[in-house]
Amino acid sequence: MSASTRQSLHPGLNLGAEHGDDHLEAETSVFGFWVFMMSDMVTFGMFFAVFATTLPLACCPGPTELFDLGSIAWQTSFLLLSSMTSGMAVLTMKQEHGGRSACIKKLVFWLLLTVLLGCGFLYREISDFIFMATAGGPPTRSGYLSALWSLVGLHGLHVTGGILWCLVIVVGVMVRGVDLRWKLALLRWAVFWHFLDVVWIFIFSFVFLGGLL
Amino acid sequence: MEKSKELHHYLIGLALAAVLTVIPFTLVATVGGKASYVGLIFCAILQLIVHLRFFLHLSFKGQQKEDLQLVLFTGFILFLMIGGTIWVLGNLYTRM
């Protein structure tokens, strides 16, 4: 089956038939990454399960003393917008594969904007962690706080990893151009980045907002 | 697919996700109470679907089915593991 007869091989984060053989190449590699991503979701799920079985104790500060709704709103906005800009990066790569240097400039712009928004998210998150630690809520204080720090911290580590990965892709496309290798890297990174936002939906809804109810 | 159509897809997703984010925040900031929890669950699941549909482009047709099946199966596993954990430990808690 040739590339042109098959429109869409895997979810939207694909290259499109005009990319020829690269399009076919992307199918297995991106689907494989989806499988990894799902196993990562199970890991997050178990952290959620542990968190759900703990209760804030009377001994230590609880959600009302530790969480700042405004900061959570900022983090949520940063991450949602970065998900959007990462989508714009993928669209740029898909659609402007013809004009090389113009495409690279636009692509790098969207990727760096995503990195910037990701750093904004991390900045607010780390400030919150520092506040929590100084306000009497370090992870060692109670089971609830341990579960909270590990769940939110695990997500923060993923975001840090995603930012570093994105920077590697930026350097890659600037040095080597948008060739097959970096196209595939960008597609997989985009899947990763979108899923970090998906996990964040559940963290802000159930950990932070649910805790404040 | 045409350029503008794909861009539209992302913009619709962003708008829907933004609305589904504002609702739970307003619920907690203004209404409060345990009953709002239902709203939180509802909005979170809807926003999950919006992200999968508009950002990750999962759908019920064509080759994308394989990925959807993968996601649904993982969702099922997560439901069993998280639901089971909460069930068992919640039961223990009420007996204490």
Side-chain angles (χ1 to χ4, degrees), chain A residues 6 8-14 18 27 30-31 34-35 38-39 41-42 45-46 48-50 52-53 55 69 72-73 76 80-81 83-84 87-88 90-91 94-96 190-191 194-195 197-198 201-202 204-206 209-213, chain B residues 1-4 6-7 10-11 13-14 17-18 20-21 24-25 27-29 31-37 40-41 43-45 47-48 51-52 55-58 62-64 66-67 70-71 74-75 77-78 81-82 85-86 89-90 93:
Chain A
R6 296 175 65 175
S8 190
L9 295 166
H10 52 76
L13 302 180
N14 54 23
E18 61 270 35
E27 182 179 30
V30 177
F31 186 74
W34 269 86
V35 177
M38 289 302 107
S39 71
M41 289 303 110
V42 172
M46 293 332 287
F48 269 106
V50 171
T53 54
L55 290 171
L69 201 60
I72 303 304
T76 308
L80 179 59
L81 282 176
S83 214
M84 179 72 185
M88 293 300 101
V90 171
L91 272 192
K94 274 183 74 174
Q95 295 170 345
E96 302 196 15
V191 171
H194 284 311
F195 267 108
D197 201 17
V198 169
I201 297 172
F202 290 92
F204 87 72
S205 298
F206 299 120
L209 294 183
L212 287 170
L213 271 182
Chain B
M1 220 199 290
E2 315 86 78
K3 277 187 188 186
S4 57
E6 279 185 289
L7 179 63
Y10 277 100
L11 289 174
L14 180 68
L20 288 168
T21 301
F25 273 92
L27 266 182
V28 172
V31 186
K34 291 289 167 198
S36 307
Y37 217 90
L40 289 189
I41 296 173
C43 287
I45 290 173
Q47 193 175 169
L48 168 70
H51 277 249
L52 291 178
F55 289 164
L56 288 153
H57 309 267
L58 289 186
Q63 300 286 329
Q64 300 163 7
E66 281 168 29
D67 300 76
L70 182 67
V71 171
T74 310
I77 296 286
L78 283 171
M81 295 203 299
I82 300 176
T85 306
I86 294 173
L89 282 157
Y93 179 67

Side-chain angles (χ1 to χ4, degrees), chain A residues 146-164:
Chain A
S146 303
L148 171 76
W149 279 71
S150 17
L151 174 58
V152 181
L154 181 72
H155 179 267
L157 275 180
H158 273 73
V159 173
T160 314
I163 289 173
L164 292 177

